[in-house]
Amino acid sequence: EETITAVHAFPETLIYTQSFLSFVDKVNEAGAGVIQIEVRGGPEAIGMMQQPDAVRDGIVDMVYTPGSFYGGALPEKDALVASNLTAIETRQNGGLDLIDRIHQERMGVKYLGWFDSGVCYNLWTRDEPSFDADGNLEVEGLRLRGNAVYNAFFTNYLQAQVIDLPTGEVYSALQNGVVDATGWTQIGLIDLKWNEFLNYRIEPCFFSTDLGVIVNLDTWNGLSDEAKGILQNTAMQHEIDSVNALRTKRDEDFAALDAAGMTVVELEGEAKANYLAAARETTWARMKELMEATPTAVAGYDDLIAKFYDPAADN
Amino acid sequence: MEWFEALGLLVGSIMVLMALGMPVALAFLAANIIGAWVFMGGERGVVALLNNGWGALTIFALVPIPLFLLMGEIFFQTGLGSRMFSAIDKLLGRLPGRLSYVTVIGGTGFSTLSGSSMGSTALLGSLMVPEMNLRGYKSHMSIGPILGTGGLAIIIPPSALAVLLATLAKIDVGALLIAGVIPGLILAGFYIATIYIQTRIDPDAAPAYDVDPMSAGEKIAVLMRDVVPMIGLMVVIVIMMINGIVTPSEAAAFGALGVLILAACYRCLTWDSIKKSVRGALRVTLMAYLIVFGSATFSQLLAFSGASRGLINWATGFDLDPTLMLLVMFGVLLVLGMFMEQISIMLLTVPIFFPLAATLGFDPIWFGLIMLLALEISFTTPPFGLLLFVMKGVAPPNTTMREIYRAAFPFILCSLLVVALLIIFPILATWLPGLG
Amino acid sequence: MRAVIRAYDALLYTMAFIAALTLVWLMVSVVVSVLMRNLGMQPFAWLFTSAEYGILYMTMLGAPWLVREKGHVHIELVTAALPPSLRRFVSRFVAALCVFVCVILAWYGLQLFLTNIERNNFDVRAYYYPRWLLTVTFPIAFSVMAIEFSRFVFGSDLMHSGEAGIHE
Ligand code: NA
Ligand code: NA
């Protein structure tokens, strides 16, 4: 029996970590006598931002982390961020194989699976959002909390006033009015209790979560074919299962928020299309610039876009 | 390796090195090198240690501490502090230990401003200790209350640690924050009682020199001239926070700027005092932050090696009645608190303790508050309590280790007493949140 | 030789001076960014990021100076209980251990710095900041710290006073 070690980027109680731990349980069940995953903990065991390096250097064999945490080493992760597809489609169309090869080439890690995909981000505001004559969102006077993932969109396109704050400070910042709007995934607002202060959700949602499992390549290559098969098959099944589980969770969260008075405001028509296009294109522009600075032979910019963005899916 | 062997190796090496007289930060780094070599696979473990180090030192949450230290240093070096405390001496007359009371009352007030124990201790320490030392206070009369009120910062809202705990445990953030108000005030009351008892037992601990009697008019003049502007500065900063003009982390910068402006107004701001202030603040900051650099990885090694998880599982594996189980969990938090930093402790224990608390039938807000009190105590427990070292940075040079521990001890007892009260009267924690 | 020592001292104090300026910069950057925000302007993102990175630069550049100042807190327990001759030995031995720790960290810090250049690592916040600009501080700071600690191994001045307590 082979054993590999694993850590996860987020605290154990977070829903995304629970999803990963259920994947581990499935592997340990299917892999009895062949392959076992030993979870060493979360950010308390290896710092959140140090985990990608730790798996690269073989300190730990497997890490569950957003690609954005190693975006400096692998700009192609933005293909996932700006994707309007889930792991289910991109597994079928070969997109994830491409991402795997890029990971092997750039970082010496195996990209095992894209979990918890299909979750996107909304803008959430305290006060009722207003729109200009063309139906575009007006951001004048909005104090928007940002971070590295979405600032290109917020500042370059929306031209909003963005305030960088660590997640832990957002609760009191909302309470005091330091910020009155934030981006966040569709799921999780209730766990953070930010819904105490936020009253409006702006649709459509943009971006996608980019959480994935990466494995040290030497460890991976050293595993028996049977162990590899169990890991890969369980991961592919969990890609599908987690999309469905999180959709259910999203619907539950939205229902709970609706019941507590969250109002949904929607952008329409051309304004909606421009908003989505801007989120996507500011992110692609960033990816393109960084890819050109350090090109790989594995995949070009256009290949990636073709695999991770389907214009038909926007309608 | 079994969890207790890992625990023994890591804790043993740090204890031996510290006892030998290695600087605390270097002792952590040395223990980390050993631990990283054993548990993280040799050389790459040491590289990971350094990778962690810069990660731990590039977070905005660390910005307030040097600025609070700078604020306190400017206050002291420009003589503003001397003016204010002379005025307080005149106003409060012969009350023995008056500056200790001022520390607790001021510190409690300041806790409503600060969400961080380190920041609070840094400010009060650099503000009060040098002045109290000059005025002949024994060091435990200054160090003790400051260590105590430093911990209050995380019980009384706002508290970054309370928000994080509530988020991790998925309990109501607002309720946990509000729940801390009454126990926090009781704790402050206990601190005042402690000072009273200490001045009774040992009248020499705080100087009781005579003060010239003053007329009411003179008193008001002194109050307006020397006390109100400084208190006013604090009030302005609190208002800026409440109105959302600054975040708690940003408040310190305005504190430092405000004291600079005040000193300029009083015409006591000199180049020399600025240089001395920056130098003083830099010394304590560098000392504390190199410890942060070293200890960041130490906490992680305890977690990564399975030592702390093993300890938690072992301790909670016994079948005990609810109150005993609570005491076991409290004890685990205190033991971990001796060697780990607070956030790591929460990340480790919350997923195990809160479900356990639920099966034992504990109110989650009440239990969360008891956890916060344990974390508060762990800031000041030897051998590794970061507040102890921050205090050392601002205390008189000849202060001994025993003096600092002795100073902390009565105030740790007060916290334990509050925990006992909470166990007997849970309503102290649950009443206020229940009103909303 | 004297010129080398003078150049070295100048390096040490320049590093400490930059650390002191960084501390002041923390205040300035926060104040400016809050003022901009409250005047309805978009604060420059580099104000926030420079404060975060500033803490690392401040700590690393100032740490060697603090060794010279005997400012790194240590506890005198064993050294206080020993007779003077043995105490001098233990004190020099502990200083030698510190040199050893610093040399190890300087060496692996250099490896990390070279790896960061080779891998072209970035730290991703508001900007893509080359990571070697952060980790370059390790080989420099720990080398100078090793030299400073070695003064307590070979020099006449000892790190430990022999008086019980926590010392800076
Ligand atoms: Na507080
Ligand atoms: Na402690």
Side-chain angles (χ1 to χ4, degrees):
Chain A
E1 188 179 86
E2 292 169 287
T3 302
I4 58 174
T5 55
V7 292
H8 42 83
F10 295 118
E12 195 177 321
T13 47
L14 203 77
I15 182 153
Y16 303 114
T17 306
Q18 291 298 318
S19 167
F20 172 68
L21 294 177
S22 79
F23 160 74
V24 170
D25 289 343
K26 286 189 238 172
V27 169
N28 289 349
E29 197 184 321
V34 182
I35 176 82
Q36 295 288 295
I37 300 173
E38 183 193 327
V39 178
R40 291 293 185 89
E44 75 282 3
I46 295 180
M48 213 180 247
M49 293 305 187
Q50 283 70 43
Q51 291 184 3
D53 276 335
V55 69
R56 239 175 139 172
D57 296 336
I59 289 162
V60 63
D61 300 318
M62 175 186 276
V63 164
Y64 184 55
T65 179
S68 293
F69 286 3
Y70 52 85
L74 199 133
E76 290 86 349
K77 63 93 192 171
D78 273 337
L80 276 70
V81 170
S83 178
N84 65 346
L85 301 173
T86 71
I88 301 174
E89 298 88 34
T90 51
R91 177 62 71 190
Q92 278 167 357
N93 72 13
L96 289 177
D97 287 336
L98 196 58
I99 283 289
D100 176 27
R101 272 181 280 140
I102 298 169
H103 275 77
Q104 302 203 17
E105 163 85 14
R106 283 207 190 267
M107 290 173 71
V109 296
K110 163 87 187 162
Y111 193 81
L112 193 62
W114 181 19
F115 294 170
D116 304 336
S117 62
V119 176
C120 46
Y121 291 76
N122 286 106
L123 270 185
W124 309 77
T125 64
R126 179 200 303 274
D127 304 316
E128 183 165 5
S130 57
F131 302 92
D132 66 16
D134 299 326
N136 293 309
L137 183 68
E138 286 183 326
V139 293
E140 187 85 352
L142 211 59
R143 301 166 138 217
L144 182 58
R145 181 256 171 171
N147 72 17
V149 178
Y150 26 65
N151 275 5
F153 172 44
F154 287 177
T155 50
N156 297 352
Y157 171 70
L158 292 178
Q159 309 214 315
Q161 190 194 352
V162 175
I163 298 162
D164 278 308
L165 283 177
T167 305
E169 281 199 20
V170 174
Y171 181 90
S172 59
L174 284 167
Q175 194 170 29
N176 296 335
V178 171
V179 295
D180 51 20
T182 182
W184 197 253
T185 55
Q186 296 172 308
I187 301 172
L189 205 76
I190 298 177
D191 290 340
L192 293 162
K193 303 288 187 299
W194 296 353
N195 56 320
E196 289 174 23
F197 312 107
L198 295 168
N199 306 309
Y200 295 88
R201 185 177 85 236
I202 299 174
E203 291 286 356
C205 65
F206 51 92
F207 291 168
S208 173
T209 49
D210 58 343
L211 285 147
V213 172
I214 51 179
V215 184
N216 181 277
L217 200 56
D218 292 335
T219 307
W220 176 259
N221 290 334
L223 292 174
S224 67
D225 286 345
E226 195 186 358
K228 281 183 196 166
I230 290 168
L231 282 171
Q232 191 63 77
N233 290 333
T234 314
M236 275 154 52
Q237 186 57 45
H238 192 72
E239 283 178 345
I240 299 167
D241 294 348
S242 63
V243 167
N244 295 323
L246 288 190
R247 282 201 177 131
T248 310
K249 170 69 178 161
R250 178 195 63 196
D251 294 342
E252 286 168 10
D253 267 24
F254 277 4
L257 287 169
D258 282 352
M262 179 73 68
T263 310
V264 180
V265 178
E266 289 194 54
L267 287 156
E268 309 277 356
E270 203 178 330
K272 174 183 169 184
N274 290 341
Y275 180 84
L276 284 176
R280 200 166 53 231
E281 275 155 20
T282 50
T283 308
W284 283 347
R286 175 174 67 191
M287 176 168 93
K288 190 169 188 182
E289 186 188 332
L290 289 163
M291 281 176 76
E292 281 167 357
T294 55
T296 61
V298 182
Y301 171 80
D302 294 327
D303 307 337
L304 274 165
I305 305 291
K307 300 285 188 200
F308 284 89
Y309 176 66
D310 179 4
D314 270 348
N315 302 312
Chain B
M1 196 182 284
E2 292 292 327
W3 67 267
F4 47 85
E5 291 167 336
L7 189 69
L9 175 73
L10 289 167
V11 170
S13 47
I14 189 103
M15 297 279 273
V16 167
L17 293 170
M18 272 173 68
L20 266 180
M22 203 170 195
V24 175
L26 271 292
F28 270 113
L29 288 169
N32 289 342
I33 291 174
I34 298 169
W37 207 279
V38 173
F39 299 109
M40 290 182 162
E43 295 185 297
R44 55 194 176 192
V46 182
V47 172
L49 184 173
L50 288 163
N51 241 340
N52 270 334
W54 73 258
L57 279 183
T58 50
I59 53 173
F60 195 76
L62 291 175
V63 169
I65 286 118
L67 298 180
F68 277 135
L69 285 166
L70 185 63
M71 179 180 174
E73 286 282 346
I74 298 169
F75 191 64
F76 176 70
Q77 298 290 355
T78 57
L80 274 185
S82 175
R83 285 179 83 116
M84 179 163 129
F85 291 128
S86 298
I88 290 173
D89 270 347
K90 284 178 197 156
L91 295 169
L92 292 185
R94 294 192 48 115
L95 176 66
R98 54 197 162 274
L99 287 183
S100 302
Y101 293 115
V102 169
T103 304
V104 172
I105 293 166
T108 309
F110 185 69
S111 299
T112 61
L113 167 71
S114 164
S116 121
S117 288
M118 277 255 278
S120 186
T121 307
L123 176 65
L124 286 169
S126 55
L127 217 54
M128 304 290 294
V129 174
E131 285 294 338
M132 290 170 81
N133 186 39
L134 282 179
R135 275 152 218 274
Y137 280 71
K138 286 194 183 165
S139 53
H140 71 90
M141 291 301 291
S142 55
I143 292 168
I146 291 171
L147 285 173
T149 44
L152 272 185
I154 64 174
I155 307 292
I156 297 180
S159 161
L161 218 52
V163 172
L164 187 59
L165 179 66
T167 308
L168 287 173
K170 300 189 174 164
I171 59 177
D172 191 338
V173 184
L176 182 62
L177 287 170
I178 297 293
V181 171
I182 292 178
L185 293 178
I186 293 177
L187 191 53
F190 283 170
Y191 290 164
I192 287 181
T194 305
I195 296 166
Y196 178 77
I197 294 167
Q198 282 177 332
T199 51
R200 273 306 167 99
I201 295 172
D202 177 14
D204 294 335
Y209 40 78
D210 280 326
V211 178
D212 296 330
M214 285 195 298
S215 70
E218 281 171 322
K219 278 193 175 180
I220 290 172
V222 165
L223 187 72
M224 295 308 290
R225 195 189 64 218
D226 292 339
V227 181
V228 168
M230 187 63 197
I231 308 257
L233 172 64
M234 297 290 224
V235 171
V236 167
I237 292 172
V238 172
I239 291 172
M240 285 170 74
M241 269 184 40
I242 292 171
N243 289 338
I245 296 169
V246 296
T247 66
S249 301
E250 292 165 341
F254 283 86
L257 180 70
V259 176
L260 271 177
I261 292 170
L262 269 188
C265 293
Y266 282 89
R267 300 182 172 279
C268 49
L269 188 66
T270 61
W271 257 119
D272 190 49
S273 62
I274 294 176
K275 267 194 313 210
K276 279 185 179 155
S277 304
V278 174
R279 187 191 165 95
L282 185 64
R283 277 183 71 109
V284 181
T285 307
L286 292 176
M287 181 265 281
Y289 282 3
L290 202 67
I291 296 177
V292 169
F293 183 93
S295 62
T297 306
F298 191 76
S299 291
Q300 291 182 7
L301 282 168
L302 281 173
F304 188 76
S305 67
S308 40
R309 182 58 66 97
L311 174 71
I312 296 167
N313 288 340
W314 171 76
T316 52
F318 299 103
D319 192 17
L320 302 169
D321 77 50
T323 308
L324 275 178
M325 208 62 221
L326 178 72
L327 294 178
V328 166
M329 287 192 270
F330 194 77
V332 168
L333 289 170
L334 291 189
V335 171
L336 292 178
M338 290 166 76
F339 301 100
M340 292 181 81
E341 51 90 28
Q342 278 64 22
I343 293 174
S344 296
I345 299 174
M346 292 196 320
L347 287 168
L348 266 171
T349 54
V350 162
I352 300 172
F353 283 5
F354 272 84
L356 187 58
T359 62
L360 294 169
F362 296 158
D363 179 272
I365 300 295
W366 171 83
F367 180 72
L369 191 63
I370 288 185
M371 254 188 93
L372 273 184
L373 278 160
L375 295 173
E376 182 241 295
I377 293 171
S378 74
F379 261 124
T380 53
T381 48
F384 174 56
L386 206 46
L387 295 193
L388 296 174
F389 299 128
V390 172
M391 269 328 284
K392 174 55 203 162
V394 292
N398 53 354
T399 313
T400 68
M401 180 162 91
R402 269 186 49 196
E403 274 177 321
I404 294 208
Y405 291 166
R406 202 185 126 214
F409 183 69
F411 294 87
I412 292 176
L413 271 187
C414 289
S415 297
L416 292 175
L417 206 56
V418 169
V419 173
L421 275 179
L422 281 172
I423 293 174
I424 302 167
F425 307 110
I427 194 166
L428 292 173
T430 54
W431 180 66
L432 214 46
L435 291 180
Chain C
M1 188 63 199
R2 193 170 291 167
V4 174
I5 292 174
R6 216 178 299 144
Y8 168 78
D9 281 350
L11 172 73
L12 182 95
Y13 287 108
T14 307
M15 283 165 65
F17 184 68
I18 297 172
L21 288 183
T22 311
L23 197 155
V24 177
W25 172 250
L26 293 182
M27 182 181 90
V28 174
S29 70
V30 173
V31 168
V32 171
S33 109
V34 169
L35 288 181
M36 286 182 76
R37 192 173 75 216
N38 285 285
L39 291 173
M41 288 184 271
Q42 174 69 49
F44 308 116
W46 50 263
L47 286 170
F48 184 85
T49 313
S50 69
E52 290 190 318
Y53 291 149
I55 295 166
L56 177 78
Y57 288 122
M58 178 178 71
T59 308
M60 285 299 135
L61 294 176
W65 166 73
L66 202 63
V67 176
R68 179 168 290 196
E69 296 259 305
K70 296 189 195 173
H72 288 292
V73 62
H74 62 260
I75 294 166
E76 298 221 3
L77 201 72
V78 173
T79 44
L82 293 174
S85 59
L86 201 54
R87 183 175 70 233
R88 279 194 290 277
F89 174 76
V90 170
S91 181
R92 289 182 194 284
F93 172 71
V94 168
L97 277 183
C98 292
V99 174
F100 184 57
V101 168
C102 290
V103 167
I104 291 178
L105 293 177
W107 173 252
Y108 288 105
L110 182 66
Q111 303 304 315
L112 179 59
F113 161 69
L114 294 173
T115 308
N116 287 155
I117 289 182
E118 181 204 313
R119 288 182 179 171
N120 195 25
N121 286 134
F122 290 98
D123 186 44
V124 182
R125 299 187 189 192
Y127 305 91
Y128 279 65
Y129 189 74
R131 220 188 275 170
W132 65 266
L133 280 174
L134 299 170
T135 50
V136 71
T137 56
F138 293 152
I140 298 170
F142 285 112
S143 299
V144 182
M145 277 173 82
I147 296 171
E148 286 302 311
F149 275 119
S150 64
R151 289 158 58 100
F152 296 117
V153 182
F154 304 110
S156 55
D157 192 15
L158 289 181
M159 202 158 71
H160 301 85
S161 64
E163 287 157 23
I166 306 180
H167 289 264
E168 282 196 290

